[in-house]
Amino acid sequence: MSAPSPDFRPDIEGLRALAVAGVVAFHFGLSALPGGFAGVDIFFVISGYLITRHLTTEISQSGRLDFLRFYARRARRLLPVALFVIAATLAAGAIILSPEEQALYSKGAMFASAYMINLWLIRWSFDYFANDAANNPFIHYWSLSVEEQFYLAWPALLMLAAWLKPGKRTIMFAIGIAGLVSFAVCAWLTPISQPWAFYFSPLRAWEFAAGGLASMAPAWPLQNRPRLALAFSLCGLALIAFAYLTFSEEAPFPGFLALVPVAGTVLLLLAGAADARSGPSALLALPPLQWIGKLSYSLYLWHWPVIVYAGMLVEELTLAQRLACLGLTLALSALSYHLIENPIRRNGWLMANAARALVPALLLTGTGVAAAYGNAALAVRHQNPEQRSIAASAAEPATARAKACVEGYDTVTPKPCVFGNGQRMIALFGDSHADHWSTPLIEAGKKNGYRVETWLKSSCRPSRYSYFVTKLNRDYRECDQWREQAIKEIIAAKPSLVVISELALTSSRKMAEGKGQPDTPDAVWRAGLRSTLTSLSKAGLKIAFIRDVPFNDENIDTCVSRALWRDKAPSLCDQTRADAANDKMAAIEREIVTSVPNASYVDLTDRFCNATTCHVFIDGQLAFRDQHHLATPFAESLEPEVEKRVISKVGR
């Protein structure tokens, strides 16, 4: 075993252990550390610290940077085990995932192999109908993509600064300016568009810059003041503990909150540079933390696919099962560290010159991308006709959405769409749960001489009240503005009938369970629903309020596909009526609607549920595209019911 480098810092290895422990604890569901995700920020600061220290040392000694040698070193360190875990995850997915899931997540593997998955996830985050990211076994590669993108830009920035004016101050100034700009934009964008602030590497550059500035700070002021060094390290540890113990997924992160773990890491790095033999720095050097820190990269890579796949195989993981997953993660990490990560990083032949490492690295990356792409194509070929039908049903948009008539989150001005050319008009008003009725309503309207005009907006309920939206991670202010304008326009249009539907309050509460999101009190919802209905009724308009569809515990297209893939019946995915149908809340809703003049309550729940069970595969068709949206072909089959219960009975 080779001796550690004279530049080796045991406290930094211990910090890596703290970082990966927080991330693993968070992902494994340890509720005592709800902010464990901030461990990624610790990794970013450490990377900025070490890389900047290495690069500035090389610049000061030779006046230049050997870029190829730098990238060769990064490639030996990061690529082999990362691509091996991707390959192993794809192989396990071929057994666990349905072909449709394999095809989808293989795209994630492709972007992860190219270290661009953070950009893919930005787009994913804004797709209202995207699959739940919690099931994506490659999502954790986003932070590695951010790091790799940092490695591409950072050496050039430092070399440019040194070229403009040699000296440490110029480099520090360049790092400081880059960091300030990055932080300012990140803090500004976090409450507006969190996915960009979270995943976009230039907006995380300030965390690397904080580490870079710390690496250039002189150690002697703290070396001569041991009490101050101790205070730095204790304060740093306290800040990290505060982040781990008090942050949550719902917090506006990164933004200003990310300053807490970043500042804590910087303080510990500064204290460790001055005195690594006492206080928290000495604790970080303890053997258990050194062992975990050594395995931290492999641990980070393995832990997420292990827990994701375990959650797919077992509906509710017990504590013992989670501990077993942790044991498996540790075993896989130790094996990959000793058999792949460390041997390749220290291989003498690869270290001899940059080309020997970079050429295989490029080949490996290309192979990873090609293998992921090929796996996606192969998975689609493995689909039988029934699975293809399910995938096609889930992918087919409702009529309004297919014409881009469901407005996005940032829209505040309604842009109604018109379907048909009938003399009389029906207005369809609501969120995506109104949109999935657009297909049968438009067809039924045409048969009866109606045109349908739509006022639809993603996640925007017609009921007048403000609420928190997960995708934005804040109150949905745009909805409040859009809704009022839509109500005015609908009243002015004087339709023969206004058809309204929205995500049930109980369903949104189920979606928010365990996430600490602000809840809407029942009284606020009741008042908001009554207010909207009353405004339309007072204008002399007839209203048909369609009860929301049952809410399922998981994405039904995925559940049914997996069931068929494992030779099981789709009924395995059925839900109990007590859990899915929200009958108690629906009774309150019915009472509110029917108490308003000109308003009728339309309940189609009997098409999904009997007295005890709500079905997800009905008359040979997939009923739901996900947890709570109708699959369009099934919605189309409901056209006679919509004609009978909405138009014929209510609209005339």
Side-chain angles (χ1 to χ4, degrees):
M1 183 175 178
S2 60
S5 164
D7 293 329
F8 176 74
R9 290 264 302 272
D11 61 308
I12 293 180
E13 197 82 306
L15 261 176
R16 287 194 178 105
L18 281 186
V20 78
V23 174
V24 172
F26 172 72
H27 285 151
F28 275 51
L30 183 60
S31 58
L33 293 178
F37 58 85
V40 171
D41 302 85
I42 297 174
F43 277 127
F44 287 166
V45 177
I46 293 172
S47 291
Y49 183 92
L50 293 175
I51 295 302
T52 305
R53 185 177 67 172
H54 171 79
L55 294 174
T56 52
T57 299
E58 185 176 347
I59 289 171
S60 66
Q61 289 176 350
S62 64
R64 58 184 294 275
L65 283 178
D66 188 334
F67 287 93
L68 292 180
R69 187 181 171 201
F70 170 78
Y71 293 124
R73 208 165 32 241
R74 293 293 89 206
R76 291 198 314 271
R77 170 77 173 88
L78 301 174
L79 276 176
V81 69
L83 292 171
F84 178 79
V85 173
I86 288 173
T89 304
L90 286 173
I95 301 170
I96 297 169
L97 302 173
S98 68
E100 179 67 16
E101 290 176 290
Q102 292 176 46
L104 173 65
Y105 295 133
S106 291
K107 294 177 184 176
M110 185 170 66
F111 283 98
S113 299
Y115 288 97
M116 293 192 297
I117 195 170
N118 60 319
L119 304 178
W120 186 58
L121 288 171
I122 291 172
R123 180 178 178 274
W124 178 302
S125 298
F126 287 105
D127 183 353
Y128 181 80
F129 289 96
N131 289 50
D132 186 0
N135 290 323
N136 183 340
F138 301 101
I139 193 173
H140 63 313
Y141 273 78
W142 76 267
S143 63
L144 304 181
S145 297
V146 169
E147 285 212 27
E148 285 294 324
Q149 291 157 24
F150 162 75
Y151 296 146
L152 287 175
W154 205 246
L157 173 67
L158 301 191
M159 194 62 232
L160 177 62
W163 176 75
L164 290 172
K165 187 177 181 181
K168 187 176 180 180
R169 287 185 179 180
T170 308
I171 294 177
M172 291 184 72
F173 179 78
I175 293 174
I177 291 297
L180 282 173
V181 171
S182 170
F183 174 74
V185 179
C186 178
W188 167 72
L189 204 55
T190 295
I192 298 172
S193 183
Q194 191 189 28
W196 277 99
F198 194 92
Y199 291 122
F200 194 42
S201 51
L203 303 187
R204 287 300 192 107
W206 68 272
E207 301 184 38
F208 296 94
L213 289 174
S215 75
M216 302 183 73
W220 60 263
L222 291 181
Q223 286 174 336
N224 297 332
R225 297 176 178 85
R227 290 184 179 179
L228 183 60
L230 179 62
F232 268 42
S233 58
L234 289 172
C235 186
L237 204 58
L239 287 171
I240 290 174
F242 178 80
Y244 278 11
L245 293 170
T246 65
F247 286 6
S248 70
E249 285 183 277
E250 287 68 50
F253 196 87
F256 287 100
L257 282 181
L259 285 170
V260 176
V262 168
T265 308
V266 167
L267 289 173
L268 281 166
L269 289 170
L270 292 173
D275 181 10
R277 294 170 297 177
S278 61
S281 296
L283 291 175
L284 292 172
L286 291 174
L289 290 177
Q290 293 298 292
W291 183 71
I292 294 172
K294 182 172 62 176
L295 297 181
S296 60
Y297 182 52
S298 286
L299 276 169
Y300 184 82
L301 292 173
W302 281 113
H303 84 282
W304 183 242
V306 166
I307 197 66
V308 165
Y309 283 159
M312 291 178 179
L313 294 171
V314 181
E315 188 170 339
E316 289 292 336
L317 292 169
T318 64
L319 176 60
Q321 289 167 334
R322 290 179 187 275
L323 290 175
C325 288
L326 179 60
L328 176 60
T329 300
L330 287 168
L332 290 171
S333 301
L335 285 172
S336 62
Y337 175 80
H338 290 292
L339 298 179
I340 301 173
E341 182 183 344
N342 208 40
I344 292 178
R345 178 175 54 169
R346 302 190 182 282
N347 182 277
W349 187 84
L350 292 173
M351 294 170 67
N353 64 62
R356 289 186 182 181
L358 288 175
V359 171
L362 290 172
L363 291 173
L364 271 176
T365 300
T367 301
V369 171
Y373 181 83
N375 193 70
L378 192 62
V380 172
R381 289 184 63 185
H382 281 162
Q383 289 178 311
N384 60 35
E386 195 169 19
Q387 287 168 332
R388 288 195 185 97
S389 174
I390 290 168
S393 295
E396 185 178 340
T399 302
R401 187 162 65 92
K403 298 294 185 181
C405 294
V406 182
E407 295 167 48
Y409 290 96
D410 58 346
T411 305
V412 295
T413 303
K415 299 172 185 174
C417 292
V418 180
F419 296 87
N421 52 14
Q423 292 297 313
R424 295 173 295 175
M425 188 261 279
I426 294 174
L428 178 61
F429 177 35
D431 54 16
S432 60
H433 283 233
D435 166 57
H436 63 201
W437 293 110
S438 66
T439 299
L441 181 65
I442 289 167
E443 288 305 310
K446 287 178 181 177
K447 287 183 180 180
N448 289 272
Y450 289 97
R451 72 182 187 278
V452 174
E453 294 193 22
T454 62
W455 281 263
L456 303 169
K457 180 173 169 63
S458 293
S459 296
C460 187
R461 293 187 183 94
S463 298
R464 276 179 167 137
Y465 62 93
S466 298
Y467 50 90
F468 184 94
V469 170
T470 304
K471 289 279 186 181
L472 300 174
N473 206 32
R474 60 172 171 81
D475 286 343
Y476 197 4
R477 298 182 294 271
E478 294 88 345
C479 174
D480 296 335
Q481 297 178 55
W482 180 91
R483 182 195 301 119
E484 290 308 309
Q485 185 62 32
I487 291 172
K488 290 178 182 177
E489 291 184 8
I490 292 170
I491 290 172
K494 298 180 179 179
S496 301
L497 176 68
V498 182
V499 178
I500 296 176
S501 193
E502 65 183 17
L503 175 69
L505 181 61
T506 46
S507 296
S508 64
R509 284 173 176 167
K510 288 178 182 178
M511 292 166 67
E513 276 179 6
K515 296 182 178 179
Q517 296 176 0
D519 191 15
T520 300
D522 286 3
V524 172
W525 162 70
R526 288 196 296 266
L529 174 58
R530 189 180 298 278
S531 175
T532 295
L533 296 174
T534 300
S535 292
L536 296 170
S537 175
K538 284 184 176 180
L541 302 180
K542 291 183 178 181
I543 306 156
F545 188 99
I546 302 179
R547 177 181 173 178
D548 194 17
V549 297
F551 184 89
N552 303 286
D553 290 338
E554 58 185 316
N555 287 337
I556 294 305
D557 61 321
T558 299
C559 183
V560 171
S561 293
R562 281 187 203 156
L564 294 172
W565 180 242
R566 298 167 188 170
D567 294 322
K568 296 180 180 179
S571 58
L572 181 72
C573 305
D574 288 348
Q575 312 282 304
T576 63
R577 179 165 183 142
D579 288 336
N582 306 317
D583 286 325
K584 187 176 180 180
M585 185 68 80
I588 299 171
E589 189 176 65
R590 179 192 295 272
E591 182 182 345
I592 294 169
V593 172
T594 55
S595 70
V596 176
N598 301 323
S600 300
Y601 194 71
V602 179
D603 190 347
L604 293 166
T605 307
D606 59 344
R607 290 293 289 116
F608 305 91
C609 310
N610 57 31
T612 59
T613 306
C614 291
H615 303 287
V616 299
F617 202 71
I618 303 170
D619 297 333
Q621 287 184 295
L622 184 73
F624 299 91
R625 58 168 291 127
D626 51 24
Q627 281 185 285
H628 50 89
H629 291 100
L630 292 179
T632 298
F634 180 74
E636 189 174 6
S637 74
L638 297 176
E639 183 266 326
E641 295 288 344
V642 171
E643 182 178 15
K644 175 184 175 183
R645 303 197 202 188
V646 178
I647 296 178
S648 299
K649 201 169 187 179
V650 182
R652 291 178 177 174

